[in-house]
Amino acid sequence: KESATALTSHLVALWRWFIDQRQLTSWSSLSRADVQAWVAARQAADIKASTIRAGLSLFKACIREAIAQEITVSADVLRINAPEQPKPLPRYLSEDEMRRLEQTVVEPTTDGSLTDKLQRAWFFTLSLTGLRGAELLNLRVGDIDFATQRLIVYAGKNRQDRVVYLSPLLTTALVDYLAVRPETPDDHLWIKPSGSRLARHNIKYRLHRWGATCNVHVTPHRLRHTFATRLVNAGLPLPSVAKLLGHRSLDMTQHYARLYEQTVHNQFDEAMTHIEGIVSLDWPRSTPIPAPLSEQICDSV
């Protein structure tokens, strides 16, 4: 219902603009120039490119549906190109932030309670596999294969199954949790002490509390970006990173290569600071600079 209301609102606003600003009278009178004018007006109003692209995509879907219903409308309006969208670097946590966050997560999980072991297990599953939030919540007990140290992710975002691998730390966290997991006919992996499933708002709330404690802004997707950045910085080839993250193409994974370039730049700056620091230790020189040879000859005469 909420989605239908939102879509209707967007479409009403869009068509009202065509009627008011372009004097649109029928489907057949809609032209490519009208759509280009709408895009230009949105850009002039400093609307974000991503918002314009989303509105244009919705508009094109509406036009395709009209054509499918044999309504007379020019297919030329579908040839409008969306404005280029800037590609910001993925936001990830620095190693220092990640260490502070991990320490915050581990410290309160020493009493052995089910809640602590549950929270520690799902946190490390997010941070050490790069799973999306929805993929995490969709895991079943049978998706874990300790014999091969693998975790099967079924029907991810792109409806593609994939495999991620269990590190020793993650394996320990999962084994500790499964040893105290409540007995229930529900095969979902994450079960709270009450017997109900872990929910999205539980993860959001807990991450917010952990982040506030160690002054780190963290979300499930930022953990995913951090995991990918760590892999790239460690030298894992981009095709392997893409496979672990469930990307459909390397174009999405290339963003992390850009982050790697920035890491190299930062490492270069640190190295040059060290090198220049060595040089500056002997500047100015502690011993007199020898006089030119001509002056030495005059002094000897």
Side-chain angles (χ1 to χ4, degrees), residues 134 139 173 194 232 256 295:
L139 289 175
S194 63
V232 173
Y256 300 105
E295 293 182 13

Side-chain angles (χ1 to χ4, degrees), residues 11-29:
L11 285 173
V12 167
L14 189 149
W15 288 109
R16 181 173 289 134
W17 188 92
F18 284 129
I19 294 172
D20 294 341
Q21 302 297 323
R22 303 296 291 185
Q23 289 74 53
L24 193 70
T25 58
S26 66
W27 286 92
S28 60
S29 65

Side-chain angles (χ1 to χ4, degrees), residues 43-287:
Q43 290 175 316
D46 290 330
I47 304 299
K48 290 182 179 180
S50 58
T51 303
I52 299 175
R53 293 173 67 92
L56 189 59
S57 176
L58 177 61
F59 166 76
K60 289 183 177 180
C62 182
I63 294 300
R64 292 191 185 96
E65 179 64 21
I67 294 175
Q69 294 185 21
E70 299 183 352
I71 296 175
T72 302
V73 56
S74 174
D76 196 44
V77 299
L78 295 174
R79 298 189 177 93
I80 301 295
N81 293 325
E84 289 295 327
Q85 183 175 353
K87 295 181 180 179
L89 292 174
R91 295 184 177 182
Y92 66 102
L93 301 180
S94 67
E95 286 300 319
D96 178 65
E97 290 175 323
M98 198 62 196
R99 280 193 295 270
R100 297 204 315 265
L101 178 61
E102 289 171 342
Q103 185 176 3
T104 301
V105 172
V106 171
E107 281 182 347
T109 58
T110 57
D111 63 359
S113 70
L114 169 58
T115 297
D116 284 343
K117 290 186 176 183
L118 168 64
Q119 291 175 351
R120 179 169 53 188
W122 67 249
F123 170 80
F124 283 118
T125 301
L126 280 178
S127 64
L128 298 177
T129 65
L131 263 63
R132 302 175 179 91
E135 293 171 341
L136 176 82
L137 295 175
N138 194 44
L139 289 175
R140 305 306 203 266
V141 175
D143 297 340
I144 305 175
D145 186 349
F146 287 114
T148 59
Q149 295 293 288
R150 301 189 309 170
L151 182 64
I152 312 300
V153 183
Y154 290 102
K157 180 179 179 181
N158 302 315
R159 299 188 180 278
Q160 293 181 347
D161 301 342
R162 72 181 189 278
V163 173
V164 297
Y165 301 96
L166 306 180
S167 68
L169 177 59
L170 177 54
T171 298
T172 299
L174 288 172
V175 169
D176 288 347
Y177 161 66
L178 289 173
V180 296
R181 178 181 178 275
E183 292 290 338
T184 172
D186 190 338
D187 68 340
H188 277 80
L189 178 57
W190 312 114
I191 301 297
K192 296 185 293 185
S194 63
S196 59
R197 300 176 190 173
L198 188 70
R200 185 183 299 272
H201 68 269
N202 299 134
I203 294 175
K204 183 178 179 180
Y205 170 78
R206 180 47 51 188
L207 287 178
H208 175 74
R209 290 294 300 273
W210 283 331
T213 300
C214 61
N215 194 29
V216 172
H217 179 61
V218 57
T219 64
H221 221 68
R222 185 159 291 189
L223 289 176
R224 175 176 166 86
H225 290 326
T226 303
F227 174 70
T229 303
R230 281 177 150 183
L231 292 180
V232 173
N233 286 340
L236 192 69
L238 289 182
S240 298
V241 176
K243 188 173 182 179
L244 289 172
L245 295 180
H247 286 167
R248 286 178 297 180
S249 70
L250 280 178
D251 290 342
M252 303 174 70
T253 320
Q254 289 292 343
H255 294 305
Y256 300 105
R258 294 166 61 201
L259 286 175
Y260 177 68
E261 290 172 1
Q262 182 62 45
T263 300
V264 172
H265 191 181
N266 293 339
Q267 292 171 346
F268 170 79
D269 288 342
E270 293 176 5
M272 290 307 298
T273 299
H274 177 69
I275 292 171
E276 292 177 354
I278 295 175
V279 174
S280 66
L281 291 177
D282 195 32
W283 184 271
R285 297 175 184 273
S286 58
T287 56

